[in-house]
Amino acid sequence: MDQYRRPLAGVTINTVGDGVDELDLALLDALHVNPQASFEDLGRVLDVSSVTAARRWRRLASTGRAWVSSAIGPRMPVKAALFGAECEPGSAPSVADEFAARPQVFSVNITTGKDNIYALLVAADQPLLSELIVDVLPAVTGLVRVQCALITELFSGTRWRLGGLSSGQVRAVTPDPATNAQAHEFDQFDRELFLALQRNGRLSWRDLATAVGQSEAVVRRRIALLTRTGLLAFRTDFARVEAGWLTGVALKMGVTGSPLASVGRTLVQYPETRFCAATVGAGAANLFVTMQLHKLSALDAVISRLIAEYPDVAVLDTRVVLRSVKSWGRLLGPDGRAHEIVPVDLWAPATS
């Protein structure tokens, strides 16, 4: 049953030693569709045993290649921003590390260009976000200039496809849509659950209950409520280089004649798109997009495809990611693997 191999077009897979193979990618793809899928369900969809599915996942997670964590649900009231910085020569790594140490800074990348760091921020309310933008981050040693834009709408950020599953397998692993539930205000217990699941989004009910000091029944009910109300979601991440996605780019776009939301929804359907958000406060740029490519030369075809559909979209700035330092709370090594975690905590004090 461990012989499932589905070749992935255009992807070079490292299969040497303990590298990632096609079964690993199919497993990751299934967990991108449904981060909470049981190993029994994963095994059935991938035509392997549940033991094999569990063993493969433990290997990926224990080596920092992949991880599942809690994420902000679509109805969670939060504030977010894109923060860019120009650094003194030689100071970009230390500045990036300072940014990454902040629990509200969920992503940090060092890029080409004059403004050679960008960070993505999230906070529980506008005063907290403003304190980070105005007082905390600009005070980091090594900065020459900073700029920011507020994120007004998020089109993508928790779902990512690798092309490792057939359409039938995708349907088989897709969870049932959430049903409407009573309104719920996020409280301290919910925050404790969110932070525990930041470290491991696939904790067993028993381990999660132990982590927050509640019974399994209480934890089950609350997680069900949070997911039904759209306050809590889950996301799967992976070391992209090992899966053949070698190059990251960050784009600022200006959308004028077309509805911004329409362009954003189109972009998130592209397999290359990793993050896409509407922004305000950055001049003519009102859409920020990050993409992962098999090779840098593939970017032209992606942009041409978008402009063919939306001729009034202008690409105003393009940066190539030289080093990803942090991705949704995970601190990354040069190989893209997670080696430590600073849990995303949008409620933490800005100055802590």
Side-chain angles (χ1 to χ4, degrees), residues 267 270 272-273 291 293 298-307:
L267 276 167
Y270 289 8
E272 299 86 358
T273 300
M291 293 185 174
L293 307 167
L299 180 61
D300 288 342
V302 177
I303 299 304
S304 296
R305 186 192 338 162
L306 177 66
I307 293 177

Side-chain angles (χ1 to χ4, degrees), residues 51-283:
V51 173
T52 294
R55 174 171 54 82
R56 288 296 187 113
W57 172 251
R58 284 194 297 269
R59 173 175 161 273
L60 292 169
S62 65
T63 55
R65 288 182 172 95
W67 54 94
V68 172
S69 55
S70 55
I72 297 166
R75 296 183 183 176
M76 173 80 82
V78 300
K79 302 297 181 180
L82 167 67
F83 190 87
E86 177 188 349
C87 301
E88 296 174 354
S91 65
S94 62
V95 170
D97 288 343
E98 286 282 344
F99 284 4
R102 300 284 172 180
Q104 303 90 350
V105 178
F106 65 83
S107 180
V108 182
N109 291 271
I110 300 174
T111 72
T112 58
K114 189 175 182 181
D115 297 325
N116 53 345
I117 286 183
Y118 79 82
L120 295 167
L121 287 58
V122 65
D125 54 44
Q126 188 61 50
L128 176 55
L129 184 67
S130 297
E131 187 177 0
L132 287 165
I133 292 171
V134 175
D135 302 317
V136 177
L137 296 183
V140 171
T141 302
L143 295 178
V144 174
R145 185 176 67 93
V146 300
Q147 61 177 338
C148 70
L150 299 185
I151 292 174
T152 58
E153 186 173 359
L154 181 63
F155 302 109
S156 175
T158 61
R159 293 293 178 262
W160 177 250
R161 293 299 313 281
L162 299 173
L165 299 180
S166 67
S167 57
Q169 288 172 310
V170 171
R171 288 192 297 271
V173 79
T174 299
D176 295 330
T179 57
N180 291 330
Q182 65 193 64
H184 175 72
E185 185 173 346
F186 212 85
D187 60 23
Q188 180 60 31
F189 178 38
D190 301 326
R191 180 186 176 188
E192 292 173 1
L193 289 169
F194 182 91
L195 293 177
L197 291 165
Q198 269 287 289
R199 297 186 176 278
N200 182 358
R202 289 184 61 84
L203 278 176
S204 68
W205 293 116
R206 176 186 297 178
D207 289 343
L208 182 56
T210 299
V212 298
Q214 296 284 348
S215 69
E216 289 187 42
V218 169
V219 167
R220 282 177 180 267
R221 287 197 298 270
R222 184 54 67 93
I223 293 295
L225 174 62
L226 292 174
T227 53
R228 286 200 309 269
T229 54
L231 296 175
L232 175 67
F234 294 90
R235 57 181 281 161
T236 302
D237 286 288
F238 68 103
R240 300 162 204 167
V241 170
E242 295 198 37
W245 301 84
L246 304 179
T247 303
V249 294
L251 309 170
K252 291 181 181 179
M253 300 183 179
V255 181
T256 52
S258 302
L260 184 61
S262 178
V263 177
R265 285 192 292 268
T266 296
L267 276 167
V268 299
Q269 300 304 315
Y270 289 8
E272 299 86 358
T273 300
R274 181 64 177 167
F275 182 87
C276 181
T279 62
V280 63

Side-chain angles (χ1 to χ4, degrees), residues 286-339:
N286 56 3
L287 193 65
F288 178 75
V289 184
T290 67
M291 293 185 174
Q292 206 75 22
L293 307 167
H294 297 313
K295 53 185 178 179
L296 186 57
S297 59
L299 180 61
D300 288 342
V302 177
I303 299 304
S304 296
R305 186 192 338 162
L306 177 66
I307 293 177
E309 188 168 354
Y310 297 99
D312 48 7
V313 172
V315 178
L316 305 176
D317 187 73
T318 303
R319 304 294 170 93
V320 178
V321 175
L322 300 175
R323 184 181 302 170
S324 291
V325 177
K326 188 179 187 182
S327 177
W328 193 247
R330 255 61 179 194
L331 302 184
L332 308 178
D335 57 1
R337 297 189 191 184
H339 61 83

